[in-house]
Amino acid sequence: AVSLEGTILQPADTKLIAATLLAPVPLHSLELQGCELGPDALRAMAKGLSSHTSLKRMYLNGNPLGNGGAIALADGLEGNRSVELCHFEYCDVGGPGAKAIGEMLAVNTTLTDVSLPMTDTFMPHWNAGSGNEFDAEGVTALAKGVLASKSLKTFGSSPMVWLRIEWGAGDLPPAAELLAHPCMSVSRVFGAEEDGAKQRKTPQAILDAETAAVEAQRRAGGEGGGAPAVLRR
């Protein structure tokens, strides 16, 4: 396991990481939160990521990946068959990046835990990246990717309800389909991976509130529905 959280990585450092991913090194966890990694760093890592066979977890939170970095990450993960967890929260990802991630989720068969919340706040010491902010196309692609995924068990977002509510707007498929998906019907328990705690089902009151919000959107948009509004915390 390699943990470089909070370390400002230079181009030479990212080249070394990229070379490590290309080598037959038994790397299992890569923790790169708040390392000021940009699109070029992810492009350098993508080739090795696509062929690496032992890496299980990637933490990229708080890096200014942008759409270019998210697209490169999606390219790397599309063919990867080992990574199970990938978190990239507060990474300045917009609609094009979200679309690429959604399309990747539809074909990747290994990822079980993905988190890329659409949020405008985060831990203050990870200030290189800015909040993810998706447009309607990105939201739609993510939702379709979640439903098409054969492996996803947890899709984290903050607040988690935004994708469920967006799914019920406009001409998108019924909200009930996404609400019923296992990865969207549980809430994450902090430390569950370490202490063996079981995931909890989302309280029925929250599901009812989300359903009501979906119906309100439909009524506001008329019989045919309106374009999805981008929700922010």
Side-chain angles (χ1 to χ4, degrees):
V2 174
S3 178
L4 298 170
E5 179 178 353
T7 304
I8 308 305
L9 299 179
Q10 303 302 317
D13 301 321
T14 57
K15 287 182 180 179
L16 182 58
I17 293 173
T20 301
L21 288 171
L22 283 168
V25 177
L27 178 65
H28 297 286
S29 178
L30 195 54
E31 301 181 19
L32 302 174
Q33 305 98 313
C35 293
E36 297 195 10
L37 299 175
D40 289 343
L42 269 294
R43 293 187 187 104
M45 295 166 57
K47 184 177 180 179
L49 181 59
S50 65
S51 60
H52 205 276
T53 59
S54 64
L55 184 63
K56 299 292 184 185
R57 302 172 184 226
M58 289 186 69
Y59 297 92
L60 298 169
N61 303 336
N63 288 295
L65 305 185
N67 288 316
I71 291 170
L73 179 63
D75 288 343
L77 289 174
E78 183 171 320
N80 180 276
R81 293 297 178 265
S82 67
V83 176
E84 298 173 357
L85 178 151
C86 187
H87 289 187
F88 40 111
E89 305 173 1
Y90 202 66
C91 288
D92 197 24
V93 178
K99 182 174 183 291
I101 295 298
E103 292 171 349
M104 176 274 295
L105 289 175
V107 297
N108 178 280
T109 58
T110 312
L111 280 166
T112 61
D113 186 333
V114 172
S115 183
L116 68 161
M118 182 176 69
T119 177
D120 55 7
T121 60
F122 203 69
M123 300 178 70
H125 63 285
W126 288 345
N127 56 12
S130 58
N132 299 332
E133 187 172 348
F134 313 139
D135 57 15
E137 185 177 12
V139 167
T140 302
L142 281 175
K144 290 182 177 179
V146 168
L147 284 176
S149 173
K150 304 299 183 183
S151 58
L152 201 61
K153 295 180 180 179
T154 301
F155 184 83
S157 59
S158 179
M160 198 169 185
V161 299
W162 70 267
L163 184 54
R164 297 177 181 148
I165 294 175
E166 292 288 355
W167 189 248
D171 57 357
L172 299 177
E177 186 177 356
L178 190 63
L179 282 168
H181 195 287
C183 79
M184 297 296 289
S185 63
V186 297
S187 56
R188 297 169 61 86
V189 179
F190 183 77
E193 295 158 355
E194 289 74 23
D195 63 17
K198 294 181 179 180
Q199 290 179 318
R200 299 170 296 184
K201 290 185 178 179
T202 303
Q204 187 61 43
I206 294 179
L207 296 179
D208 291 343
E210 291 167 5
T211 302
V214 167
E215 293 304 321
Q217 278 191 342
R218 287 175 174 162
R219 288 194 297 271
E223 186 174 340
V230 175
L231 304 181
R232 300 182 67 184
R233 180 165 63 180

